Amino acid sequence: MTEETQTDGTPGDDGRHAAKMAKKKAARDKIMSTKTEEKGLIVVHTGKGKGKSTAAFGMIFRCIAHGMPCAVVQFIKGGMSTGERDLIESRFSDVCQFHTMGEGFTWETQDRSRDIEMAQAAWAKAKELIRDPANRMVLLDEINIALRYDYIDIAEVVAFLQTEKPEMTHVVLTGRNAKDELIEIADLVTEMELVKHPFRSGIKAQIGVEF
């Protein structure tokens, strides 16, 4: 029976479900009542799976929707048009600054000294944007790749985030192979796991999915 109570007075399926959910809600409310602090978070999206930058841009668009000033620095991606950048620059440049500082992936440029120069310039811009307390969120897109190849000193990045990031500023860092030192100081770390990808079946990156 699915009635609230059965003929013998014991709870039916709906009654048992309601009681279970009420108990779960009470436990959840008790936990939530202890979560009262706010702070600027260090957020890391890493792993081999797709979606690291996509999830980060979702957070940027949330900030835009709330009218919160924010900024994006792209460390690796070059001049190729992307939906996120086109939309932000055409519609929301008053709320979100967008800086594409890279010139492509290192296997495309084939110029380590130039890659280092561009990564250092991107990091300088990132520090400038993070230091400005008006920016509530700063996305450092693909910085983990620059860190992996030692284009930027991980010790410097960690020290800066620990000592110079304003208290209420969120900083989101994306890219696979995040350094252990960065994971250690982060407040939120998500690792995207690759289960299946169309690229392995010969399908190229497509507009609206990858860019």
Side-chain angles (χ1 to χ4, degrees):
M1 297 180 65
T2 57
E3 297 176 356
E4 187 173 346
T5 59
Q6 301 185 77
T7 55
D8 61 0
T10 60
D13 290 345
D14 288 348
R16 285 193 294 271
H17 177 78
K20 181 179 179 181
M21 292 301 104
K23 184 176 180 180
K24 181 175 287 190
K25 182 180 185 305
R28 180 70 176 173
D29 289 346
K30 183 177 180 181
I31 293 171
M32 293 302 293
S33 68
T34 67
K35 313 301 181 185
T36 58
E37 296 184 19
E38 291 187 0
K39 61 171 287 189
L41 302 177
I42 298 172
V43 180
V44 175
H45 294 172
T46 192
K48 295 181 179 180
K50 174 178 163 47
K52 298 176 287 293
S53 295
T54 303
F57 274 106
M59 298 173 76
I60 286 290
F61 281 115
R62 282 179 181 163
C63 288
I64 290 172
H66 288 293
M68 298 165 56
C70 52
V72 177
V73 179
Q74 292 190 307
F75 278 73
I76 301 297
K77 296 183 176 76
M80 184 183 75
S81 175
T82 65
E84 302 96 334
R85 187 175 71 186
D86 292 348
L87 179 60
I88 289 172
E89 290 184 338
S90 65
R91 304 282 185 88
F92 305 113
S93 59
D94 58 327
V95 181
C96 183
Q97 300 181 56
F98 206 113
H99 302 272
T100 300
M101 309 290 289
E103 295 182 328
F105 292 95
T106 188
W107 55 85
E108 295 173 339
T109 63
Q110 300 177 20
D111 186 342
R112 178 177 171 79
S113 62
R114 181 64 175 168
D115 288 344
I116 292 173
E117 179 184 347
M118 297 307 295
Q120 290 289 333
W123 175 233
K125 173 57 69 173
K127 289 189 288 185
E128 173 190 325
L129 294 166
I130 294 169
R131 286 188 180 112
D132 183 354
N135 290 319
R136 294 295 305 278
M137 178 179 289
V138 180
L139 166 56
L140 309 183
D141 191 34
E142 304 288 10
I143 188 175
N144 288 337
I145 294 177
L147 289 167
R148 178 189 181 188
Y149 288 108
D150 296 321
Y151 295 165
I152 308 167
D153 182 12
I154 182 61
E156 179 187 348
V157 172
V158 168
F160 176 84
L161 293 174
Q162 289 183 314
T163 62
E164 295 196 48
K165 182 184 77 64
E167 182 180 0
M168 295 307 296
T169 300
H170 307 298
V171 179
V172 186
L173 308 96
T174 73
R176 60 174 61 193
N177 299 118
K179 294 272 191 177
D180 290 340
E181 297 93 326
L182 183 60
I183 291 173
E184 179 66 26
I185 67 164
D187 300 287
L188 173 61
V189 179
T190 300
E191 183 172 4
M192 308 295 187
E193 181 181 356
L194 176 62
V195 177
K196 197 173 185 180
H197 198 292
F199 185 78
R200 292 180 172 178
S201 301
I203 300 172
K204 68 179 183 179
Q206 299 181 81
I207 189 169
V209 180
E210 277 82 16
F211 60 92

